[in-house]
Structure formats: C-alpha cells, structure tokens
Amino acid sequence: MKESEAVRILRDLLDVANLNDLQEAIFRCSWQGLSYPQMSTELGYDAGYIRVVGFQLWQALSDALGQPVTKKNLHSRFEQYAQQRATTLSQLTTSAALADVKEACHQDWGDRPDLTTFYGRQSELTQLQDWIQHDRCRLIGIFGIGGIGKTAIATQCAEQLQHDFQYVLWQSLRNAPPPNQFVVEAIQFLSDQQAIEQNLPPDVGGRIDHLLGYLNAQRCLIILDNAEAILQSGEYAGRYRPGYEAYGNLLQQVGEQRHQSCVVLTSREKPREFVRLAGEQLPVRVLQLAGLPAAEGQA
C-alpha cells in the first residue's frame, strides 16, 4: 500500500477533532519506518513529546479499528482494513446491481407452470440460450408431440435468462385468446400500463406495428405457450383457425423486422411462418424436440 493511500484511510478513520498536523506527520514517518529519534530530527520536536503524541495516535486508531494498532503493526493493520473495505464495497455494489436489475426487469409470468424438476435436455437448453443471448434470434419455435417437454424447456430457459431482459411476458394460448386481445394486453404490459386501448390504432394490424415499436425500443422476452390451440389440424395443419390469422401476421413481422427482443413459441404444430423464415444462420430458429434418453426418461 502506498503512503498516500494509507493517509487517506487515516483521514477517513479519524475526524478533524482527533487528528492534527503533527499526528499526521508522525503517521507518515512511521509508515516510512523512521524511529522516534529520527522523527525528532525530521520534525523538530523533542523525541519524548513525539512518543507521547504517537501513543495517542495509536490509541485513537485502535479505537477506530477495534483492534490494537502500534507503530510496528501499522502496515498490516491498514492493509487488512483496506482489504475488508474493498470486499464490503464489492458486496454492496453487487447487491445494488442485482437490486437494480431485479427492479428494472418487469415480469408477467401468467399461468407459467411451477417447474420443480427438470431432467435432461441440457444440450437443447444450451442451444436455446445460445440462440437468444449470442445469436440474438428474434423468433424461436419449440415443436414436438404432446408431453415431450416443450413447455418445460421454455420455462427453464426463460427463468435462467430472465434478467437479460427488461420485460418478460408469459402468455398461454391454450384458451385461444383473440389476437387483438393479446396484442393490446402485451402493449399495456410493455408500456407499464401507460398505453390506453382507445388511443391505439383501431385495427389489429396497426396495433401489431405498435407492439413491434416496443420490442425494438426495449429488450423483451415473450413466450407464447401451447400455440397449437390457435392452429387448425389435419390437412390444414400449420394454418390458423378462422379469426386467428393475425397471429401469423405478428409472427411474420417479429421474424422479419429488426428489433432487440425475442419471441419464443411452443406448439405441437408448426405455423407456416417458421417454414418460410427459419434457418440455421437466420434470426428465426426451430428446435424440434425428440424423446429423452432412457435414464433421463425414467427419472
């Protein structure tokens, strides 16, 4: 530790009333390793008087630090104090940063399932996180048969990455909410309830454009779970139920337009937009889930 840093700590520990110029001079000389007779020559005071003032200084520092301070252990005591203070400041800074992140992250988990256990899928989970964090994918589809674990892996991924986003919105489509209803509610959430429906564009297309503005202005994670509920099955697989076509318009714009957010969709059926927009090097990706290995499936 440099002398200048030690003096700053000295001034922090002792206020003006408990520290005078001579005491600071004695502290500096002691830090340099001078003896009291050498200080007498250096400072122009009687050696006995310097010893008395020095004793008062060490006593005051002992009281301030809560442990004995002497001329001999001065360096070790101050270095120990500096390390403790640095650790405390680091912990406070980390706590404050985490508090700021938590406060800044607005979350609406809706009816997200309570995921108490998660088996396997580590490679798929890592791939999802890589797509979201590093590749900055705008639209991701997780597809597979019922019960294969689409919702589970989407939940695990969202929980682990939640603090990378300013807003996290979980929306189950199991009950097939009309697209206009979902878009309005999403806008209101992303605007901190400042957006008023009456002031939004009258048509759902204009409202989707409005929603894309929020996805571009701030980093958001939106999970659309159970999207098969808004799709037709059979020979019309991948097409939307009548009245739900606007969801296709939403997915298309999310995948095509440049923004800083990510929409993750889970479904048994693959919407047509993914067939046209997805690619290994594109901002739209598809994760097709297969079965678990035997040991993980048994667990």
Side-chain angles (χ1 to χ4, degrees), residues 3-43:
E3 179 184 322
S4 57
E5 183 181 354
V7 171
R8 283 196 296 271
I9 295 176
L10 171 71
R11 292 171 178 172
D12 289 340
L13 292 173
L14 304 181
D15 56 33
V16 177
N18 295 324
L19 181 67
N20 56 45
D21 292 341
L22 179 57
Q23 287 177 320
E24 183 173 320
I26 292 174
F27 179 88
R28 288 179 180 274
C29 291
S30 299
W31 194 264
Q32 297 167 14
L34 300 183
S35 65
Y36 287 127
Q38 290 173 321
M39 293 184 204
S40 175
T41 303
E42 178 77 18
L43 303 177

Side-chain angles (χ1 to χ4, degrees), residues 143-285:
F143 304 113
I145 63 174
I148 201 69
K150 302 180 296 295
T151 298
I153 195 171
T155 301
Q156 187 78 354
C157 182
E159 289 180 348
Q160 292 185 5
L161 298 185
Q162 58 183 296
H163 293 306
D164 287 353
F165 295 88
Q166 295 168 270
Y167 292 83
V168 177
L169 174 61
W170 181 285
Q171 176 65 57
S172 174
L173 302 180
R174 185 185 302 276
N175 296 321
N180 189 58
Q181 174 187 325
F182 164 71
V183 172
V184 170
E185 291 177 353
I187 290 174
Q188 290 176 335
F189 171 69
L190 298 180
S191 69
D192 298 322
Q193 307 301 324
Q194 298 301 307
I196 301 175
E197 183 174 0
Q198 289 76 9
N199 295 335
L200 296 175
D203 62 296
V204 67
R207 293 179 176 185
I208 289 175
D209 291 338
H210 203 76
L211 175 60
L212 264 292
Y214 285 102
L215 299 185
N216 185 50
Q218 52 209 17
R219 185 146 168 78
C220 313
L221 176 62
I222 298 178
I223 302 95
L224 301 177
D225 193 30
N226 301 118
E228 65 275 357
I230 63 173
L231 298 172
Q232 300 187 57
S233 58
E235 62 178 308
Y236 297 104
R239 298 186 181 183
Y240 296 90
R241 291 169 49 185
Y244 290 85
E245 296 83 0
Y247 276 107
N249 182 24
L250 171 62
L251 295 180
Q252 179 176 331
Q253 293 198 50
V254 166
E256 291 182 338
Q257 293 191 27
R258 186 181 297 275
H259 57 82
Q260 61 171 323
S261 299
C262 181
V263 174
V264 177
L265 177 141
T266 75
S267 177
R268 300 179 188 179
E269 304 286 346
K270 184 184 297 183
R272 292 180 297 173
E273 289 74 23
F274 284 93
V275 177
R276 186 168 60 86
L277 298 175
E280 293 183 1
Q281 303 300 322
L282 298 176
V284 180
R285 305 282 172 87

Side-chain angles (χ1 to χ4, degrees), residues 99-132:
D100 289 343
V101 168
K102 186 175 182 180
E103 182 178 355
C105 184
H106 304 268
Q107 301 175 357
D108 182 352
W109 290 102
D111 55 358
R112 172 202 59 172
D114 183 13
L115 191 64
T116 56
T117 57
F118 184 78
Y119 297 102
R121 303 289 187 202
Q122 289 306 311
S123 61
E124 294 97 329
L125 182 61
T126 299
Q127 186 174 50
L128 271 177
Q129 294 172 337
D130 188 61
W131 285 352
I132 294 172

Side-chain angles (χ1 to χ4, degrees), residues 9 12-13 65 76-86:
I9 295 176
D12 289 340
L13 292 173
L65 292 176
S76 62
R77 289 287 188 250
F78 268 56
E79 288 171 357
Q80 181 184 16
Y81 173 78
Q83 291 176 355
Q84 292 174 342
R85 185 172 66 171

Side-chain angles (χ1 to χ4, degrees), residues 52-98:
V52 171
V53 175
F55 174 80
Q56 295 172 344
L57 174 61
W58 311 139
Q59 187 61 51
L61 286 174
S62 298
D63 294 340
L65 292 176
Q67 55 184 335
V69 177
T70 66
K71 188 173 180 294
K72 292 182 178 181
N73 69 12
L74 185 60
H75 278 261
S76 62
R77 289 287 188 250
F78 268 56
E79 288 171 357
Q80 181 184 16
Y81 173 78
Q83 291 176 355
Q84 292 174 342
R85 185 172 66 171
T87 300
T88 301
L89 288 175
S90 177
Q91 292 173 343
L92 291 174
T93 301
T94 301
S95 299
L98 291 174

